[in-house]
Amino acid sequence: MKKALLVVDVQNDFCSRGALAVKEADSIIPVINKYIELFEKKSLPIFASRDWHPKETTHFKDFGGPWPTHCVMDTFGAEFNCRLKLTSKTVIISKGIDKEKDSYSDFQAFTGGGEAFLDVLKRFNIDELFVCGIATDYCVKASVIDALRYGFKVNVLVDAVKAVNLSSDDGEKALDEMNKSGAVSLTFERVGKIISD
Ligand SMILES: [Zn+2]
């Protein structure tokens, strides 16, 4: 069984000047790149998810949902931030394609070939995930909670996540909830040691 890195939604619309910009999201990109480099060096799989919505979806305010329009598939806003250094072997999964579902969790995401994320993880023999990205209080949290529910060991890379914080403590609360559900909070130095063991 293997460890893998999961990079959640580091897309233009969630970064500075994006349609749904998360405060200071850009500041975690260099840290995420360090994690990518570490996992790449150890030949461990890297997965990157993206929010990938149709133009009209009940996820958007204009159609009765909670959010401004963001990450519309095949637009600049939905592209990964250009400073994110994904490797050529990174497996990209997309979620939010269903126009009647919010799909915050990466376990509602699929590869371009239509393979569900859970099946991809089984195919790669993954039993432990290291999760970073945007946003702590939405897609990171939903993905972490689902991963724990499916029996994965889950680590949250707390130096490489950022929260929307509609309420100022949403990010803190989300981390609490993830930890109480069984996730372990880690930072780069510790992960480096774990991966090297
Ligand atoms: Zn979305």
Side-chain angles (χ1 to χ4, degrees):
M1 299 301 274
K2 280 192 297 198
K3 299 169 171 48
L5 179 66
L6 174 59
V7 181
V8 179
D9 300 3
V10 183
Q11 296 164 271
N12 289 325
D13 271 345
F14 296 130
C15 297
S16 60
R17 294 182 299 279
L20 189 42
V22 172
K23 202 170 166 234
E24 295 169 358
D26 300 51
S27 70
I28 60 171
I29 296 175
V31 188
I32 294 175
N33 286 337
K34 278 185 4 183
Y35 282 111
I36 290 172
E37 212 176 290
L38 178 67
F39 278 72
E40 170 78 0
K41 217 188 308 174
K42 297 286 171 186
S43 300
L44 293 171
I46 298 164
F47 303 99
S49 69
R50 59 185 184 184
D51 223 14
W52 198 246
H53 297 303
K55 257 190 265 174
E56 296 182 12
T57 160
T58 55
H59 185 61
F60 294 162
K61 269 185 188 142
D62 288 346
F63 306 95
W67 303 106
T69 297
H70 63 275
C71 298
V72 172
M73 53 180 76
D74 298 314
T75 64
F76 175 77
E79 285 172 19
F80 290 113
N81 188 288
C82 67
R83 290 190 298 140
L84 182 70
K85 292 180 184 151
L86 292 176
T87 60
S88 57
K89 276 185 280 176
T90 301
V91 177
I92 293 168
I93 53 171
S94 308
K95 64 184 164 58
I97 299 163
D98 188 324
K99 61 181 169 50
E100 284 168 1
K101 285 188 188 144
D102 284 313
S103 303
Y104 294 114
S105 168
D106 281 353
F107 287 84
Q108 294 166 293
F110 299 84
T111 63
E115 191 178 16
F117 184 44
L118 182 59
D119 294 329
V120 179
L121 292 175
K122 285 181 183 161
R123 182 161 57 81
F124 276 82
N125 267 325
I126 305 299
D127 68 345
E128 182 170 6
L129 286 170
F130 293 75
V131 185
C132 59
I134 312 168
T136 319
D137 38 356
Y138 290 93
C139 294
V140 169
K141 181 177 88 172
S143 304
V144 164
I145 300 282
D146 271 353
L148 291 164
R149 204 177 285 149
Y150 283 117
F152 293 91
K153 191 168 178 227
V154 185
N155 307 284
V156 184
L157 309 175
V158 291
D159 51 357
V161 291
K162 277 290 170 200
V164 176
N165 281 338
L166 289 180
S167 293
S168 62
D169 58 350
D170 281 356
E172 283 304 313
K173 279 189 188 154
L175 279 174
D176 260 8
E177 196 181 328
M178 289 186 263
N179 292 147
K180 279 188 187 127
S181 304
V184 176
S185 291
L186 295 175
T187 53
F188 188 77
E189 201 186 338
R190 182 85 192 98
V191 175
K193 284 183 186 134
I194 291 171
I195 297 292
S196 302
D197 281 345

